[in-house]
């Protein structure tokens, strides 16, 4: 059941894993009203305890089973590497817990489909932590595009690249952990393009692969039968501008560096001065997605209209197609 603590309406989070994004998310949730982190789980008890001490979290579990069985946890936030999303989110859903699962949703579309089916069977809320889709600035942008502010969208450009090199033992280099630029970074440009244009009809790609066989520097060309295109890239070898532009027949919208969590965008309408658009909000960072999850749980919704499961599945199909084009295979692929 997607019951939310009915005492004071607070959403009580259980955080599964203790790495970088688990810490960022926990800090953001603890800084907002109406939410608290009541438990954390790790594969090891000392890590769980250290994380709980650092953030003042009441309960720490040295295995995932304790967290998902905790009656005080309203929702489990899965923050493991992608390779464990299927297992961790599946365990939580099997235990009757709603789940917010980090991006990339899973390693491949098959795993994503299994999670979506499981959530459906159990009648439980499930959402990919695609926080970009919950950004009020990004939502304002999509409203303007839908209202025809730039005419018919013809092309989307977006990139996300981090400065390398990453050591061979880093998770980004390990095929078993879903390593490579695509699932960590490329998921943002792909999700951005598909937010605007939907699932592409054609996918082309090229990539530089590491000795381990993961993609280090990847270019993608997506095509739609409408004639629209998207030119996207991701890299773990070079810090790209990490900007996005949506161009239509009557203008364009430019998002600044860090396009997936923007403070503002600039709308260029043909023949008019540029317009800068911002959205005032008391929430920051990942609080927008945490607030959307709370809203869904309170309303009894099984998925978020901002991050629909069909969209997450469609993104996973595109990522699968890109990997197929560039020759990246993970051990779980069949
Ligand atoms: N939304 C965002 O902005 C954002 C940003 C960065 C990353 N992410 C996503 O968040 C996920 C984690 O990324 P991260 O940067 O936080 O990684 P990270 O710092 O390496 O942390 C991942 C944590 O997962 C656990 N873990 C490590 N290897 C594991 C394995 N083989 N099986 C199961 N659990 C394992 C570990 O916690 P324990 O030792 O406690 O088990 C580890 O601390 C990835 O899917 C990534 O794409 C999202």
């Amino acid at each position: 059941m997607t019951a939310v603590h009915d005492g004071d309406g607070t959403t009580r989070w259980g955080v599964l894993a203790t790495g970088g994004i688990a810490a960022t998310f926990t800090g953001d949730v603890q800084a907002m009203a109406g939410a608290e982190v009541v438990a954390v789980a790790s594969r090891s008890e000392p890590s769980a305890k250290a994380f709980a001490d650092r953030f003042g979290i009441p309960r720490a579990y040295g295995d995932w089973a304790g967290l998902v069985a905790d009656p005080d946890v309203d929702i489990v936030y899965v923050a493991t590497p992608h390779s464990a999303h299927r297992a961790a989110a599946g365990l939580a859903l099997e235990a009757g817990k709603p789940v917010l699962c980090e991006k990339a949703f899973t390693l491949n579309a098959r795993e994503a489909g299994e999670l979506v089916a499981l959530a459906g069977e159990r009648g439980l809320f499930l959402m990919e932590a695609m926080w970009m889709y919950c950004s009020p600035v990004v939502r304002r942008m999509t409203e303007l595009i839908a209202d025809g502010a730039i005419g018919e969208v013809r092309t989307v450009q977006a990139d996300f690249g981090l400065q390398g090199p990453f050591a061979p033992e880093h998770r980004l280099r390990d095929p078993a952990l879903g390593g490579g630029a695509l699932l960590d970074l490329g998921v943002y440009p792909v999700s951005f393009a598909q937010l605007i244009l939907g699932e592409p009809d054609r996918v082309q790609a090229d990539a530089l692969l590491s000795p381990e066989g993961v993609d280090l520097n990847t270019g993608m060309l997506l095509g739609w039968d409408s004639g629209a295109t998207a030119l996207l890239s991701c890299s773990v070898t070079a810090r790209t501008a990490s900007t996005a532009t949506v161009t239509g027949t009557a203008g364009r919208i430019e998002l600044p560096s860090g396009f997936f969590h923007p403070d503002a965008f600039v709308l260029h309408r043909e023949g008019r001065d540029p317009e800068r658009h911002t959205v005032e909000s008391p929430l920051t960072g990942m609080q927008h997605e945490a607030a959307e999850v709370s809203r869904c749980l309170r309303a009894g919704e099984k998925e978020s209209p901002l991050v629909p499961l069909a969209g997450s599945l469609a993104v996973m199909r595109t990522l699968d197609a890109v990997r197929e084009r560039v020759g990246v295979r993970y051990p779980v692929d069949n």
Side-chain angles (χ1 to χ4, degrees):
M1 295 299 295
T2 53
V4 176
H5 188 31
D6 49 14
D8 58 4
T10 296
T11 301
R12 299 169 305 174
W13 290 87
V15 172
L16 192 153
T18 58
I21 201 61
T24 302
F25 183 83
T26 296
D28 280 4
V29 165
Q30 289 183 328
M32 66 192 287
E36 58 183 311
V37 178
V38 295
V40 60
S42 169
R43 293 163 305 160
S44 88
E45 202 158 332
S47 290
K49 285 209 162 86
F51 193 92
D53 288 348
R54 178 179 167 197
F55 289 100
I57 298 169
R59 286 188 297 291
Y61 295 101
D63 59 36
W64 300 347
L67 182 86
V68 303
D70 186 330
D72 280 342
V73 168
D74 295 320
I75 178 152
V76 171
Y77 167 60
V78 172
T80 66
H82 334 307
S83 53
H85 289 180
R86 168 69 184 88
L91 190 76
L93 291 167
E94 296 277 9
K97 296 293 188 199
V99 170
L100 173 69
C101 181
E102 264 307 336
K103 41 55 65 177
F105 199 26
T106 49
L107 287 178
N108 58 30
R110 175 183 54 78
E111 287 191 340
E114 289 167 2
L115 284 184
V116 170
L118 183 56
E121 281 163 25
R122 301 295 167 112
L124 289 165
F125 175 85
L126 174 65
M127 177 174 138
E128 179 191 7
M130 183 40 69
W131 59 311
M132 171 174 70
Y133 284 2
C134 299
S135 154
V137 175
V138 170
R139 292 172 64 188
R140 178 78 188 119
M141 178 201 73
T142 54
E143 281 167 12
L144 277 168
I145 292 171
D147 287 348
I150 59 171
E152 191 183 338
V153 174
R154 305 311 296 166
T155 192
V156 174
Q157 290 166 268
D159 65 275
F160 189 2
L162 295 180
Q163 189 67 53
F166 288 87
E169 57 274 15
H170 194 282
R171 71 173 177 81
L172 284 171
R173 294 279 296 271
D174 188 343
L177 298 184
L182 184 68
L183 265 59
D184 244 79
L185 309 180
V187 65
Y188 285 109
V190 169
S191 297
F192 183 78
Q194 295 195 192
L195 176 68
I196 296 159
L197 289 163
E199 188 168 5
D201 297 299
R202 287 167 298 283
V203 176
Q204 298 177 56
D206 197 19
L208 168 70
L209 303 191
S210 75
E212 303 82 16
V214 302
D215 67 300
L216 297 174
N217 189 59
T218 306
M220 295 162 268
L221 173 59
L222 312 186
W224 284 261
D225 288 344
S226 66
T229 58
L231 200 50
L232 314 172
S233 69
C234 56
S235 182
V236 288
T237 63
R239 191 184 310 284
T240 65
S242 300
T243 58
T245 305
V246 186
T247 306
T249 50
R252 70 179 187 280
I253 287 173
E254 294 174 347
L255 284 91
S257 186
F259 74 89
F260 46 91
H261 57 104
D263 293 331
F265 61 81
V266 177
L267 168 62
H268 300 260
R269 301 184 202 250
E270 277 303 312
R272 308 227 316 239
D273 287 339
E275 300 165 21
R276 183 179 157 84
H277 289 254
T278 59
V279 179
E280 293 298 323
S281 171
L283 304 181
T284 60
M286 293 177 171
Q287 294 173 352
H288 297 289
E289 77 177 349
E292 171 62 4
V293 170
S294 291
R295 189 200 64 72
C296 290
L297 294 181
R298 276 196 297 272
E301 294 175 16
K302 305 297 186 247
E303 65 180 294
S304 164
L306 300 185
V307 195
L309 292 167
S312 297
L313 287 168
V315 166
M316 288 312 308
R317 284 192 290 269
T318 301
L319 299 181
D320 281 2
V322 171
R323 287 198 298 116
E324 192 185 335
R325 303 291 180 275
V326 303
V328 171
R329 286 188 64 76
Y330 300 134
V332 298
D333 292 331
N334 48 30

